[in-house]
Amino acid sequence: MLVKYGNGILRVFLGYGSADFYGVKSMLVGRGWRYNMLAAPGDLTSDGWPDLLARDNLGRMWLYRGTGHGRFMRRKLIGGGWGRYVRLVGAGNLTGTGAAAETGPGDLLAVSRSGIMWMFKGNGHGGFTRPARVSGGWSRYNAIIGIGDLNHDGRNDLVARDTHGRLWFFAGNGSGGFARGKVVARNWDRWRAIF
């Protein structure tokens, strides 16, 4: 689990196969992480290790390749123009099913100011293919999370919280889209943020 503090320090809490991080000591990843958005889409570089994306205040996207030891390699600029999106969601491989959904290149979802969601499919080399429109209406949600395969059908899914505190489940269809959402919980507005 990565935690970014307000002073720009990024720390990692290494899991140990349990459902919690109780008693786990954190490890410093670095200082100066003054990015306005981070996303963990999975393995973007096909080396077997999860990577991290960071967007700066100029709208530039940076790739940090994971090393498998709680650290990242030197950042690499992916490109600019990412400031037009109000939300970035790392969702794993959205166009694979079964084992491919777990091991294939990670994908990134981006929500525009008008509430349109776009999918940027990972190309396996640290970049993305041309964006594809997923659907509209996503501005009604104040949190969107790539949750993995929540319903055990071999496809990666999403959960989202709306402004009334309802939690919605969106089943992935294995081709970059999602089934109609359904409410799975209520009163989730008691928390300031969910990830």
Side-chain angles (χ1 to χ4, degrees):
M1 178 173 64
L2 291 170
V3 176
K4 185 172 81 74
Y5 296 85
N7 59 4
I9 290 177
L10 186 69
R11 303 189 73 88
V12 62
F13 291 78
L14 301 176
Y16 55 91
S18 179
D20 60 52
F21 291 86
Y22 180 77
V24 175
K25 293 183 179 179
S26 67
M27 191 169 65
L28 178 68
V29 174
R31 304 176 190 278
W33 285 74
R34 304 253 181 226
Y35 298 105
N36 57 33
M37 208 168 288
L38 299 176
D43 181 11
L44 290 176
T45 56
S46 301
D47 61 1
W49 305 113
D51 305 311
L52 185 65
L53 294 172
R55 187 185 72 182
D56 66 22
N57 291 328
L58 298 177
R60 298 174 300 187
M61 186 77 80
W62 299 88
L63 167 68
Y64 287 85
R65 291 183 63 169
T67 65
H69 303 287
R71 306 279 186 197
F72 298 97
M73 296 182 188
R74 183 182 300 273
R75 70 181 187 173
K76 175 185 175 184
L77 180 65
I78 291 180
W82 292 88
R84 70 186 71 155
Y85 301 106
V86 296
R87 193 171 308 282
L88 300 173
V89 182
N93 185 356
L94 292 173
T95 56
T97 58
E102 298 178 13
T103 61
D107 302 322
L108 181 69
L109 297 171
V111 178
S112 69
R113 286 181 171 77
S114 60
I116 297 174
M117 179 181 283
W118 298 86
M119 182 186 73
F120 292 82
K121 182 165 177 50
N123 63 14
H125 304 288
F128 300 100
T129 61
R130 185 179 297 275
R133 188 182 191 276
V134 177
S135 60
W138 292 90
S139 56
R140 71 186 70 155
Y141 303 103
N142 55 28
I144 304 170
I145 304 164
I147 197 75
D149 181 12
L150 195 61
N151 61 356
H152 302 287
D153 67 351
R155 302 176 180 98
N156 286 329
D157 309 311
L158 292 181
V159 294
R161 183 183 65 182
D162 68 20
T163 55
H164 300 289
R166 295 173 298 193
L167 197 67
W168 295 76
F169 169 68
F170 296 88
N173 62 15
S175 59
F178 301 93
R180 183 183 298 274
K182 62 179 181 180
V183 176
V184 292
R186 299 179 188 274
N187 301 318
W188 279 67
D189 51 351
R190 72 185 75 175
W191 292 285
R192 182 195 294 183
I194 57 174
F195 304 97

